[in-house]
Amino acid sequence: QLGQLVAFGVDEIVDVPTIYDVSMIYEGFAGRLYAASINDVVQLSSPSGPIEQRITPAEGVHYITSPEIALSADRRTLYVAGAFFAENFASRTAIARYDISTEVPVLLQRVEIPAPNALFTLSPKDDSIYIRLGQYDGSGRHSVHRTVCLSAQDLTVKKGELAYVGTAGPLTISPD
């Protein structure tokens, strides 16, 4: 056992053994747990803990670093973003959304993002995804950064974009 996940229920704390170190743990629909592991996202059975499903960016492809994940408010949609190596070891970033209302996650949509890494925040109303794009030309207070707003229901719909000079940090979205 290399990792351990502590799932918090309404009345109890349950230890769920995992094979890999995991982070960004969310409880999805029907008590299934979703966590970012080193190379993919795993769906765990709660409370027994065995891995039920693995979510990777594509068949035979794994993330370079732990992917970032978020759940919709109704816990039926899982969003996954992360960098991965494509053919010829070119670094790519993609964001995907999965229907997790059944035992087997179903890929609804996946889009590649032209940036080396991307951190995202799901809006409190589940209608938008704000993505802070990484830059190929470095980071720091003199770099131009971009934050792109996409529709959470259709990742190909760009709602807006903000370019700014400075240090890019985590995004915080207020409910209003």
Side-chain angles (χ1 to χ4, degrees):
Q1 176 178 319
L2 298 176
Q4 187 172 20
L5 160 62
V6 178
F8 295 90
V10 176
D11 298 321
E12 62 184 318
I13 296 175
V14 180
D15 284 337
V16 181
T18 63
I19 296 173
Y20 298 103
D21 287 328
V22 294
S23 63
M24 299 184 74
I25 303 146
Y26 292 95
E27 182 177 0
F29 189 71
R32 289 182 289 275
L33 301 176
Y34 297 87
S37 75
I38 295 169
N39 293 333
D40 52 19
V41 175
V42 292
Q43 174 185 304
L44 303 167
S45 170
S46 174
S48 60
I51 293 174
E52 294 179 337
Q53 303 290 329
R54 290 186 181 281
I55 299 171
T56 60
E59 184 66 35
V61 177
H62 295 282
Y63 289 102
I64 298 169
T65 60
S66 291
E68 192 176 358
I69 63 175
L71 281 181
S72 61
D74 67 2
R75 301 186 306 174
R76 293 176 179 263
T77 305
L78 174 70
Y79 297 90
V80 180
F84 62 94
F85 285 127
E87 297 172 8
N88 302 325
F89 295 102
S91 175
R92 300 274 190 251
T93 299
I95 187 164
R97 63 186 182 97
Y98 294 85
D99 178 350
I100 56 169
S101 62
T102 62
E103 289 184 16
V104 177
V106 176
L107 176 65
L108 299 173
Q109 190 175 25
R110 181 177 176 277
V111 295
E112 288 193 14
I113 299 170
N117 58 44
L119 302 175
F120 75 97
T121 301
L122 184 61
S123 71
K125 296 179 182 176
D126 286 348
D127 60 346
S128 300
I129 294 178
Y130 297 88
I131 304 169
R132 184 192 51 91
L133 301 176
Q135 301 297 319
Y136 287 105
D137 60 356
S139 61
R141 59 188 178 96
H142 299 294
S143 297
V144 175
H145 299 280
R146 290 188 312 149
T147 296
V148 176
C149 178
L150 302 179
S151 167
Q153 287 71 41
D154 183 352
L155 300 174
T156 63
V157 175
K158 184 174 167 182
K159 293 178 153 186
E161 180 175 329
L162 173 66
Y164 51 96
V165 175
T167 302
L171 300 171
T172 302
I173 310 296
S174 66
D176 55 356

